[in-house]
Amino acid sequence: MIEKVTVFGAGTMGRGIAQVAALAGLAVTMQDLSEGILHPAVQAIRANMAKGVAKGKLEACSAEAAIGRLSVATDPLQAAEGAGFIIEAIVENLETKKDLFRLLDRSCPAEVIIASNTSALSLTELASATRRPDRVVGMHFFNPVPLIHFVEIVRGLETSAETIETTASLMKRMKKETVVISDSPGFITSRVNVLIGNEAFNMLQEGVASAQDIDKALKLGLNHPMGPFELVDLVGLDIRLSVLRDLHARLGEKFRPSPLLVKYVNAGRLGKKVRRGVYVYDEEGKRLPG
Ligand code: NAI
């Protein structure tokens, strides 16, 4: 049974993963490039748990115990020491991830499983950087990790059945529902989601309806929690465009980015992060009318 997990990357996803792992009773070490990144990440985890306690969703003693199980390290090998399972959530760059996988493969005992939270890169290719491709697996968590109880487990070409089983049981301990899928571009969720979002841009360009009405139709008619434009403003139009370009190259014509999306990105309308995307936002992130 896995007792210690090391999470590489203390950004948006890494800190969320570390939080749910610690709450599941696992010892967790979170690694990042500097103390200056790790310190605020731990503070954010504390604040997030405090919110849960204030809302009555989490016992104060469980939060305290989880924090007690969490440690941090900047040295990768020190961080991985004693871990039975490693979850990588560093920047989405194939070469940077491969370098880390190579290093971990050289230094960790043979039975240690190395998982990646990549949102689009090939697991099979990441695994090829190691001498243990049977113990490399994808774990696609969703943002915000503590609130979304679902993970796509991605089977690379050589991932073993035992690795999948261990990963699935770890996810069960972290209270995540899972599906196991074969390594393929965009997995299930991104592949469907970017098509919906892209078609929404095509409709807006054709003048089928306003952005507000397209969002309204998908929310009320199809029961989507957010409209496609609300969602893309949150994700970032530039990020969405880069995923579409990747899927277009790998899966073909149906993923060709809508010219209107490209135009918005060229205009610097990148979404909520710059206060201008499909919609316009004030300094507090509140959407302005029009
Ligand atoms: P982020 O930019 O918030 O965090 C990445 C962290 O990795 C940074 O703190 C950075 O300092 C650190 N880092 C960079 N190189 C490193 C290295 N060599 N060793 C250790 N740490 C290193 O990124 P985010 O959003 O947390 O994404 C992380 C991964 O999760 C990416 O692969 C991304 O595609 C994936 N992902 C992101 C989702 C999202 O909604 N943000 C959803 C699902 C997956």
Side-chain angles (χ1 to χ4, degrees):
M1 179 132 122
I2 306 292
E3 278 163 16
K4 179 187 164 178
V5 167
T6 297
V7 180
F8 280 83
T12 311
M13 298 305 286
R15 61 184 69 176
I17 297 167
Q19 178 179 325
V20 292
L23 281 170
L26 291 146
V28 182
T29 299
M30 192 166 55
Q31 191 273 354
D32 209 301
L33 302 174
S34 73
E35 289 290 343
I37 299 171
L38 286 166
H39 182 68
V42 173
Q43 291 308 108
I45 292 175
R46 272 185 189 280
N48 209 288
M49 287 195 197
K51 234 189 266 172
V53 172
K55 284 186 181 161
K57 289 186 177 160
L58 181 64
E59 301 270 348
C61 58
S62 309
E64 232 6 83
I67 290 290
R69 282 188 287 270
L70 180 66
S71 59
V72 296
T74 51
D75 179 62
L77 300 187
Q78 191 192 328
E81 179 94 49
F85 203 103
I86 289 171
I87 306 174
E88 169 277 306
I90 66 168
V91 283
E92 185 78 344
N93 177 292
L94 183 64
E95 286 316 313
T96 314
K97 284 189 196 286
K98 272 183 158 179
D99 283 346
L100 179 61
F101 273 52
R102 248 178 240 120
L103 175 74
L104 294 171
D105 182 49
R106 275 201 308 269
S107 354
C108 296
E111 68 277 9
V112 174
I113 294 175
I114 311 177
S116 174
N117 183 47
T118 177
S119 31
L121 300 172
S122 161
L123 256 302
T124 307
E125 198 169 348
L126 278 175
S128 75
T130 73
R131 292 159 305 176
R132 64 180 84 196
D134 55 321
R135 261 153 293 142
V136 173
V137 67
M139 280 169 114
H140 185 221
F141 285 86
F142 291 79
N143 185 12
V145 179
L147 298 185
I148 304 201
H149 301 289
F150 179 66
V151 170
E152 288 174 310
I153 298 178
V154 187
R155 187 197 296 115
L157 185 68
E158 313 214 37
T159 310
S160 71
E162 201 187 334
T163 297
I164 296 289
E165 207 176 290
T166 308
T167 308
S169 86
L170 184 67
M171 286 302 87
K172 210 167 172 186
R173 283 167 74 191
M174 287 163 68
K175 299 200 170 54
K176 302 294 182 201
E177 289 284 335
T178 54
V179 295
V180 179
I181 59 176
S182 300
D183 189 14
S184 65
F187 311 136
I188 297 175
T189 47
S190 303
R191 186 160 161 179
V192 170
N193 192 38
V194 299
L195 267 190
I196 294 173
N198 202 40
E199 206 48 30
F201 273 104
N202 284 332
M203 286 193 285
L204 187 62
Q205 179 174 310
E206 288 164 24
V208 172
S210 67
Q212 286 87 343
D213 283 351
I214 293 171
D215 274 349
K216 184 174 174 181
L218 267 82
K219 285 193 287 185
L220 299 183
L222 298 183
N223 219 7
H224 288 198
M226 290 177 90
F229 296 122
E230 291 169 344
L231 184 59
V232 77
D233 269 3
L234 199 66
V235 168
L237 277 72
D238 51 337
I239 306 282
R240 173 63 59 79
L241 180 58
S242 76
V243 174
L244 270 166
R245 282 186 168 141
D246 178 52
L247 295 189
H248 183 221
R250 294 200 280 164
L251 294 173
E253 214 32 44
K254 63 189 170 194
F255 289 93
R256 176 181 291 283
S258 162
L260 184 62
L261 169 62
V262 176
K263 216 182 255 180
Y264 271 58
V265 171
N266 288 343
R269 299 186 73 126
L270 305 184
K272 219 168 165 179
K273 58 189 171 188
V274 295
R275 292 175 39 208
R276 283 169 79 245
V278 179
Y279 301 114
V280 180
Y281 302 84
D282 68 14
E283 279 130 46
E284 270 110 53
K286 225 176 110 217
R287 204 166 105 194
L288 297 171

